[in-house]
Amino acid sequence: MAKKLYIKTYGCQMNAYDSDRMADVLAAGGYEPCSNVEDADMVIVNTCHIREKASEKLYSDLGRLRLEKDAKARAGRRMLIGVAGCVAQADGEEILARAPYVDVVVGPQSYHQLPELVADVIATAKPQIALEFEEQAKFDLLPESTLRSDMAAFVSVQEGCDKFCTFCVVPYTRGAEYSRSVTTVLDEVKRLADRGAVEISLLGQNVNAYHGIAPDGSEWGLAKLIEAVANIHGIQRIRYTTSHPMDMQDDLIAAHGEIDALMPFLHLPIQSGSDAILKAMNRKHTASHYLNIVEKLRKVRPDIALSSDFIVGFPGESDADFEATLSLVETVEFAQAYSFKYSIRPGTPAGDYAAQIDEAVKEERLARLQDVIGTQQQRFNRRMVGTVQQVLLDKEGKRKGQCKGRSPYMQSVFVENAVHYRNSLVDVKIVAAYANSLLGEIVSADTQGENAAHGQARQKIHA
Ligand code: 5AD
Ligand code: SF4
């Protein structure tokens, strides 16, 4: 009987993608996925270091898993516990010191070694650790994804980051920036398209820094890669995330106006609206540089929906610095955005800065910022009411018969009585807007992808 694997995933889409890949490599070792801890012979916690209290969350998860492991052991069944992701990379040995019942600690560069690590745990009865940054990129050692048959697929094209923002652990946990070759990316997209994928999200911590080697030896940037993906038969929607303003080259901006399949949505973190804080963050761009990019994007794609990340309470952030952030938000008018209170990541430069900000001040700033962003998001969502949007209805909703999917602008759209349209691209008339989602009704099925109603909707929004 196949052994069962349960993976609990925290964090970004990169981690979701990595979890699928871990499931793929372990499938070769006889593990099949299951959906709860009780059934599992192996549980992997795929951690994220970006959010607050990542380590505490991990250890409380591990405490619960230990109880399950002990209960299974009493019943004569063995359950392995693995820790993967950025906290595994950052904390390494410390995890085994604090939680000696963990069997495997594996960093993001080493997932291809999982079957071997599991075999070693069983053979030696000792925990195994794999954290090296290998010369050979992990992408090329992992098997093709075999588990996803979704219409929307993620393809990791780039990993790591060389930017060293002073608050961020990614350059330390994910290592130096690395791009997959053009051929491996396009081959993977072709296989996904053959299996029914119509939407491709290109992923990377710094995806627009992509610079993959093409078959003729030249280097391609993200814009060229997107163009080639758009030419693959069956691909109707392309997204990419996450981007850095300094890598928003003109050809990538132009692609937003030229490539129909490139969806009118961009997540472009700025972090702060104050130049002094941006400098202290080592972001390498100013607020006006960001506004200039926004202007260029809107010139080529007037309806583009913009999203961002903000950190409030970065060390030294004055009231005036924070007001500059609010004012930038007012100027840009975002469709959505994420905002976080600054929190120290051990080992990062900003953690040692003297002028750490009071928790109460951070709370208050976060609430004010989220209020402004929430208002903008609601405004953006309300503008959709009465328009027709093409929605990829690839998920079941909570209620019976309900389906959900994404609009071109990345909004969640719910449609009632839509089971017949599940797993298709359909034209949906938006009838109501909420803070975080839209409600729609089917207009007509459109699985061919030619997109008259989409164009119509774009005009309507800007009428
Ligand atoms: N404190 C708060 N937020 C952070 N982020 C990254 N590091 C920190 C930190 N130390 C946020 C940034 C980044 C997003 C993924 O997480 O806004 O863009
Ligand atoms: Fe972290 Fe992004 Fe800055 Fe890289 S660009 S250091 S991933 S915040």
Side-chain angles (χ1 to χ4, degrees), residues 247-267:
D247 294 310
M248 220 50 228
Q249 306 298 345
D250 283 344
D251 61 344
L252 183 56
I253 293 174
H256 280 276
E258 289 160 0
I259 300 174
D260 283 346
L262 185 54
M263 289 291 99
F265 172 86
L266 178 64
H267 180 65

Side-chain angles (χ1 to χ4, degrees), residues 157-158 179-182 185-186 202 206-214 218-229 240 247 249 251-252 255 259:
V157 302
Q158 179 279 337
S179 295
R180 282 173 97 183
S181 76
V182 168
V185 172
L186 296 182
L202 303 173
N206 207 170
V207 73
N208 61 342
Y210 178 82
H211 57 104
I213 299 292
S218 67
E219 238 180 37
W220 282 21
L222 189 63
K224 276 189 101 163
L225 187 73
I226 289 171
E227 194 183 339
V229 170
Y240 61 94
D247 294 310
Q249 306 298 345
D251 61 344
L252 183 56
I259 300 174

Side-chain angles (χ1 to χ4, degrees), residues 199-203 226 237-241 261-265 406-411:
E199 177 174 309
I200 297 290
S201 297
L202 303 173
L203 301 184
I226 289 171
R237 292 176 147 202
I238 301 169
R239 305 180 186 278
Y240 61 94
T241 202
L262 185 54
M263 289 291 99
F265 172 86
R406 297 276 182 183
S407 76
Y409 307 98
M410 208 55 188
Q411 297 142 301

Side-chain angles (χ1 to χ4, degrees), residues 61-189:
D61 275 359
L62 288 178
R64 276 192 298 275
L65 288 174
R66 174 193 206 166
L67 298 178
E68 184 69 25
K69 180 175 178 143
D70 289 349
K72 283 201 178 113
R74 284 195 295 276
R77 199 173 147 201
R78 182 162 194 191
M79 184 180 101
L80 300 182
I81 300 177
V83 179
C86 292
V87 181
Q89 188 68 44
D91 290 6
E93 297 273 354
E94 199 189 316
I95 294 174
L96 292 180
R98 275 184 68 174
Y101 47 88
V102 166
D103 299 286
V104 178
V105 175
V106 59
Q109 312 291 324
S110 307
Y111 294 154
H112 55 280
Q113 294 178 31
L114 266 169
E116 214 179 300
L117 294 167
V118 168
D120 288 350
V121 168
I122 291 166
T124 65
K126 288 207 182 83
Q128 301 294 317
I129 273 203
L131 301 169
E132 12 351 289
F133 287 118
E134 298 205 350
E135 284 288 294
Q136 191 174 10
K138 64 161 191 169
F139 296 121
D140 302 325
L141 295 164
L142 285 167
E144 280 285 314
S145 172
T146 50
L147 298 173
R148 279 191 115 96
S149 59
D150 299 353
M151 296 186 73
F154 296 114
V155 176
S156 186
V157 302
Q158 179 279 337
E159 263 240 25
C161 181
D162 297 334
K163 296 278 190 301
F164 290 92
C165 300
T166 54
F167 53 80
C168 182
V169 285
V170 167
Y172 310 98
T173 55
R174 296 277 172 156
E177 205 281 309
Y178 167 82
S179 295
R180 282 173 97 183
S181 76
V182 168
T183 309
T184 51
V185 172
L186 296 182
D187 284 352
E188 186 171 343
V189 174

